[in-house]
Amino acid sequence: MKKTFVILIVMIITITFSSCVRTDNNIEKYVDDVENYYAGLFMPDLDDIGEYKEISYFSRKDESIFPQYSLQLIVKYDEKVFLQEKERLESAYTYLDQPQKDEWYDDFTMPVTAFSFAGFDFRVAQFEDTAYPKNFGMVGISDEKCEIAYLWVYDPDLDYICEAKEDRNKKMIEYIELHFSLK
């Protein structure tokens, strides 16, 4: 009887962890998601991103015991508008200038300030209330595709992204691959 009970509990926990991740690409949910996942200081208002050619939205919501949420907005421009938006981004955000470490341990809460992935050159944004890695945003620019990517993470239970001895860039890429859908 005890063994059956333990197996049942393990199965329930396994199902809980594996069945709670939802993804969505409905741009109509963008405004609500930005509000619900505390991304208002970072994610742009759709009326303020210039005259774009295409826009795509992706969200990943993990509602398990340790919830994680990520929002991704990719905006494609013609070359002239892209250059204007790229210039605007230089002053639109304050960017992190050094990796962040946990104050008690050597683990990195934000292992890098900039990195490249999937054709984008990303920079990590910084706000007064940013608590790496619990909530933060990144801006990616692809000169080749004339695209700008805005990535937001809200992960209130995460304590660090990378241990001190690990490859910081590699761990950041793994983190991005887990939370976002970049091609």
Side-chain angles (χ1 to χ4, degrees), residues 5-76:
F5 180 72
V6 169
I7 290 173
L8 182 62
I9 295 296
V10 168
M11 287 175 57
I12 289 171
I13 290 172
T14 302
I15 290 170
T16 300
F17 276 117
S18 64
S19 66
C20 299
V21 176
R22 292 185 331 250
T23 61
D24 192 2
N25 60 1
N26 185 351
I27 192 80
E28 292 177 15
K29 295 181 182 179
Y30 176 77
V31 173
D32 289 336
D33 287 347
V34 167
E35 183 179 331
N36 291 338
Y37 304 113
Y38 309 102
L41 289 175
F42 175 73
M43 294 300 282
D45 186 309
L46 296 179
D47 294 330
D48 298 334
I49 57 174
E51 188 70 31
Y52 54 85
K53 289 171 58 176
E54 294 176 33
I55 191 166
S56 65
Y57 176 63
F58 173 82
S59 66
R60 180 183 183 276
K61 300 168 187 168
D62 182 343
E63 299 284 348
S64 65
I65 294 171
F66 301 107
Q68 303 172 346
Y69 309 96
S70 55
L71 310 177
Q72 168 185 304
L73 185 71
I74 298 179
V75 187
K76 183 174 186 69

Side-chain angles (χ1 to χ4, degrees), residues 109-174:
T109 57
M110 181 50 56
V112 297
T113 61
F115 63 98
S116 295
F117 179 71
F120 289 93
D121 295 322
F122 285 97
R123 291 174 28 183
V124 179
Q126 180 178 11
F127 298 96
E128 286 181 24
D129 68 341
T130 301
Y132 301 107
K134 298 178 185 306
N135 65 318
F136 67 97
M138 299 165 277
V139 177
I141 295 174
S142 174
D143 290 316
E144 181 181 323
K145 298 185 269 186
C146 292
E147 291 181 344
I148 297 174
Y150 300 88
L151 307 181
W152 175 257
V153 175
Y154 179 66
D155 192 349
D157 295 309
L158 186 62
D159 294 324
Y160 64 92
I161 292 176
C162 172
E163 293 179 7
K165 296 176 183 171
E166 294 179 302
D167 181 325
R168 294 184 290 160
N169 198 57
K170 179 181 176 189
K171 293 304 281 187
M172 191 67 193
I173 301 268
E174 289 172 2

